[in-house]
Coordinates of all heavy atoms in Angstrom, one line a residue:
L148 N 11.4 10.4 1.0 CA 10.7 9.2 0.7 C 10.8 8.9 -0.8 O 10.7 7.7 -1.1 CB 9.2 9.4 1.1 CG 8.9 9.5 2.6 CD1 7.4 9.7 2.9 CD2 9.4 8.3 3.3
S151 N 16.0 7.7 -3.9 CA 16.6 6.3 -3.9 C 17.4 6.1 -2.7 O 18.3 6.9 -2.4 CB 17.4 6.0 -5.1 OG 18.0 4.7 -5.1
N161 N 25.9 -15.6 4.1 CA 24.6 -16.3 4.1 C 23.5 -15.1 4.0 O 22.3 -15.5 4.1 CB 24.4 -17.1 5.4 CG 24.5 -16.4 6.7 OD1 24.4 -15.1 6.7 ND2 24.8 -17.0 7.8
N192 N 38.0 24.8 11.7 CA 38.4 24.7 10.4 C 39.7 23.9 10.2 O 40.1 23.5 9.1 CB 38.7 26.1 9.8 CG 37.4 26.9 9.7 OD1 36.4 26.4 9.4 ND2 37.5 28.2 9.8
E197 N 36.0 14.8 6.6 CA 34.6 14.8 7.1 C 34.5 13.9 8.2 O 33.8 14.2 9.2 CB 33.7 14.4 6.0 CG 33.6 15.5 4.9 CD 32.6 15.1 3.8 OE1 32.2 13.9 3.8 OE2 32.2 16.0 3.1
P209 N 31.4 1.8 13.2 CA 31.4 1.2 11.9 C 30.6 -0.1 12.0 O 30.9 -0.9 12.9 CB 32.8 0.9 11.6 CG 33.6 2.1 12.3 CD 32.7 2.1 13.6
P262 N 16.9 -33.0 23.9 CA 17.6 -32.5 22.8 C 17.5 -30.9 22.6 O 18.5 -30.2 22.3 CB 17.1 -33.1 21.5 CG 16.5 -34.4 22.0 CD 15.9 -34.1 23.4
A273 N 28.4 -21.4 23.3 CA 29.1 -20.8 22.2 C 29.0 -19.3 22.2 O 30.1 -18.7 21.9 CB 28.5 -21.4 20.9
V275 N 28.9 -17.3 24.7 CA 29.8 -16.8 25.8 C 31.3 -17.1 25.4 O 32.1 -16.2 25.7 CB 29.4 -17.5 27.2 CG1 30.5 -17.2 28.2 CG2 28.1 -16.9 27.6
H309 N 20.9 -14.2 33.5 CA 21.6 -14.7 34.6 C 22.5 -16.0 34.3 O 23.7 -16.2 34.8 CB 20.7 -15.1 35.8 CG 20.1 -14.0 36.5 ND1 19.0 -14.0 37.3 CD2 20.5 -12.6 36.6 CE1 18.7 -12.8 37.8 NE2 19.6 -12.0 37.4
K313 N 26.6 -16.1 34.5 CA 27.3 -17.2 35.2 C 28.3 -17.8 34.3 O 29.5 -18.0 34.8 CB 26.3 -18.3 35.7 CG 26.9 -19.4 36.5 CD 25.9 -20.3 36.9 CE 26.6 -21.6 37.7 NZ 25.6 -22.6 38.1
L341 N 14.3 -4.6 35.6 CA 14.8 -5.4 36.7 C 16.2 -5.8 36.7 O 16.9 -5.8 37.8 CB 13.9 -6.7 36.7 CG 12.4 -6.5 37.0 CD1 11.6 -7.8 36.6 CD2 12.1 -6.0 38.3
L342 N 16.7 -6.1 35.5 CA 18.1 -6.3 35.5 C 19.0 -5.2 35.8 O 20.1 -5.2 36.5 CB 18.5 -6.9 34.0 CG 18.0 -8.3 33.7 CD1 18.0 -8.6 32.1 CD2 18.7 -9.4 34.4
I373 N 17.8 2.5 17.9 CA 16.7 2.8 16.9 C 17.2 2.6 15.6 O 18.3 3.1 15.2 CB 16.2 4.3 17.2 CG1 15.6 4.5 18.6 CG2 15.3 4.7 16.0 CD1 15.3 5.9 18.9
H418 N 17.4 10.8 32.1 CA 17.6 9.5 32.0 C 19.0 9.1 31.7 O 19.7 9.7 30.9 CB 16.6 8.8 31.0 CG 15.1 9.0 31.3 ND1 14.5 8.4 32.4 CD2 14.2 9.8 30.8 CE1 13.3 8.8 32.5 NE2 13.0 9.6 31.5
E460 N 32.7 24.6 4.7 CA 32.0 25.7 4.1 C 31.6 25.5 2.7 O 30.7 26.0 2.1 CB 32.5 27.0 4.4 CG 33.9 27.2 3.7 CD 35.0 26.7 4.6 OE1 34.8 26.0 5.5 OE2 36.2 27.1 4.2
A493 N 1.2 -0.6 24.5 CA 0.4 -1.2 23.4 C -0.5 -0.3 22.6 O -0.6 -0.3 21.4 CB -0.3 -2.5 24.0
A515 N 18.3 -17.9 15.3 CA 18.7 -18.9 16.4 C 18.3 -20.3 16.0 O 19.2 -21.2 16.4 CB 17.7 -18.5 17.6
E519 N 21.1 -23.4 15.8 CA 21.0 -24.7 16.6 C 21.0 -25.8 15.6 O 21.5 -26.8 15.9 CB 19.6 -24.7 17.3 CG 19.5 -23.7 18.5 CD 18.2 -23.7 19.2 OE1 17.2 -24.2 18.6 OE2 18.1 -23.2 20.4
L522 N 24.7 -26.5 14.8 CA 25.4 -27.1 15.9 C 25.0 -28.5 16.1 O 25.9 -29.3 16.4 CB 25.1 -26.3 17.2 CG 25.7 -24.8 17.2 CD1 25.3 -24.1 18.5 CD2 27.3 -24.9 17.2

Side-chain angles (χ1 to χ4, degrees):
L148 293 180
S151 174
N161 61 24
N192 289 332
E197 289 182 345
V275 169
H309 286 164
K313 182 180 178 182
L341 294 169
L342 289 165
I373 294 174
H418 296 289
E460 63 272 15
E519 289 177 347
L522 289 175

